[in-house]
Amino acid sequence: MTRIDATFDRLRAEGKKAFVSYVMAGDPDYETARDVVLGLPAAGVDIIELGVPFTDPMADGSTIQLAGQRALEAGMTLERTLNIVRELRAQDTTTPVVLMGYYNPIYNRGVDQFLIDAKEAGVDGLLVVDLPPEEDTELCIPAQKAGLNFIRLATPTTDNKRLPKVLQNTSGFVYYVSITGITGAASASAELVAPEVARIKSQTELPIIVGFGIKTPEAAQDIAAVADGAVVGSAIVERIARGDSVSDVLSYVADLAAGAHRA
């Protein structure tokens, strides 16, 4: 059982939904990003998604793209991203960490070496947006064998013919993208999300976490109420981009987490 599995078991026992937060590693610099990550568990975050900066983030909107650019300009690398995870593990051995990003940095490091390093650092799962199920032998299956969950995205355009393929070899949870398009777009609607979550649940026992377009505690609560939890990314990254202090960012995250946990 991975930390992700254990976290969902705990939340189910407590009758609570999950709150997942995304931050970009190294944005706007290593120290600030590290301090935010180290503060997330105490702010109520159940699972941390840690973005790995990449030069061509094709699935991300401008907010996340700019965060990645700031991180790269500040000297962020895959190795330094793993170092943030190591620093978290020095004080927290239970909160799951999912690395979210693109295949190129992993490929450049070498899949076998990356998986050894990620496992050693304390990573629990991977969400690699540009590796479709047809490429499972590249990373997904080796990651599972190494004890890491491999999380997939499902979207409003993932029809019933495609869905079984997306769910194939997926573990940990399914990340349902509530809005068609890039990150940071529009606002999520619980009314529209609910039947889609039910459709996916009819084909998997994995938890369904919903992200994109959640910016307020109320929205986090509404979305978590119709799923197994909510993800917030761009709205947190926007606070970091405008120069909010670490304590202010974590206070905002705590409000979002409280909203999701009320669901």
Side-chain angles (χ1 to χ4, degrees):
M1 177 178 286
T2 66
R3 287 189 188 95
I4 295 172
D5 300 328
T7 294
F8 281 110
D9 282 353
R10 173 183 61 79
L11 290 167
R12 274 190 290 268
E14 295 173 358
K16 290 169 67 176
K17 301 299 181 72
F19 180 69
V20 183
S21 69
Y22 170 96
V23 293
M24 176 66 73
D27 175 36
D29 53 63
Y30 182 92
E31 291 75 16
T32 302
R34 175 201 60 204
D35 291 349
V36 170
V37 169
L38 294 183
L40 292 175
V45 172
D46 299 300
I47 299 173
I48 298 168
E49 282 187 356
L50 188 58
V52 180
F54 179 51
T55 52
D56 186 23
M58 60 186 180
D60 293 309
S62 59
T63 297
I64 304 297
Q65 285 190 13
L66 290 170
Q69 288 178 18
R70 289 191 297 270
L72 291 169
E73 288 167 3
M76 203 59 186
T77 62
L78 177 55
E79 179 59 29
R80 298 188 82 198
T81 301
L82 293 176
N83 279 341
I84 290 181
V85 182
R86 293 182 183 105
E87 292 204 56
L88 175 70
R89 287 289 166 246
Q91 69 176 47
D92 183 308
T93 59
T94 57
T95 305
V97 175
V98 175
L99 293 187
M100 184 171 184
Y102 298 82
Y103 184 45
N104 184 270
I106 297 171
Y107 177 80
N108 284 343
R109 193 182 191 90
V111 167
D112 292 344
Q113 189 61 52
F114 167 76
L115 292 174
I116 291 169
D117 295 342
K119 189 71 177 174
E120 174 272 326
V123 173
D124 303 288
L126 305 175
L127 205 171
V128 182
V129 298
D130 57 345
L131 270 185
E134 287 76 12
E135 307 294 337
D136 272 358
T137 55
E138 286 283 329
L139 180 62
C140 174
I141 292 172
Q144 307 262 34
K145 288 180 179 177
L148 297 174
N149 289 127
F150 201 86
I151 293 133
R152 295 253 189 236
L153 296 170
T155 75
T157 60
T158 306
D159 60 22
N160 288 331
K161 182 178 180 181
R162 179 65 177 169
L163 186 57
K165 192 74 174 176
V166 169
L167 296 174
Q168 168 189 296
N169 297 322
T170 299
S171 64
F173 61 91
V174 178
Y175 185 141
Y176 179 68
V177 178
S178 62
I179 298 160
T180 302
I182 55 176
T183 59
S187 294
S189 163
E191 185 179 355
L192 296 177
V193 165
E196 289 298 295
V197 170
R199 180 172 69 91
I200 298 169
K201 277 187 168 293
S202 72
Q203 298 198 37
T204 183
E205 295 183 357
L206 291 171
I208 315 298
I209 304 299
V210 178
F212 283 45
I214 301 170
K215 300 177 181 179
T216 66
E218 294 75 22
Q221 180 178 356
D222 290 346
I223 291 297
V226 299
D228 295 299
V231 188
V232 178
S234 293
I236 297 170
V237 173
E238 284 171 359
R239 302 287 176 123
I240 295 170
R242 74 187 193 190
D244 282 17
S245 67
V246 170
S247 61
D248 284 347
V249 171
L250 293 174
S251 177
Y252 174 61
V253 171
D255 288 343
L256 293 167
H261 291 151
R262 283 194 298 270

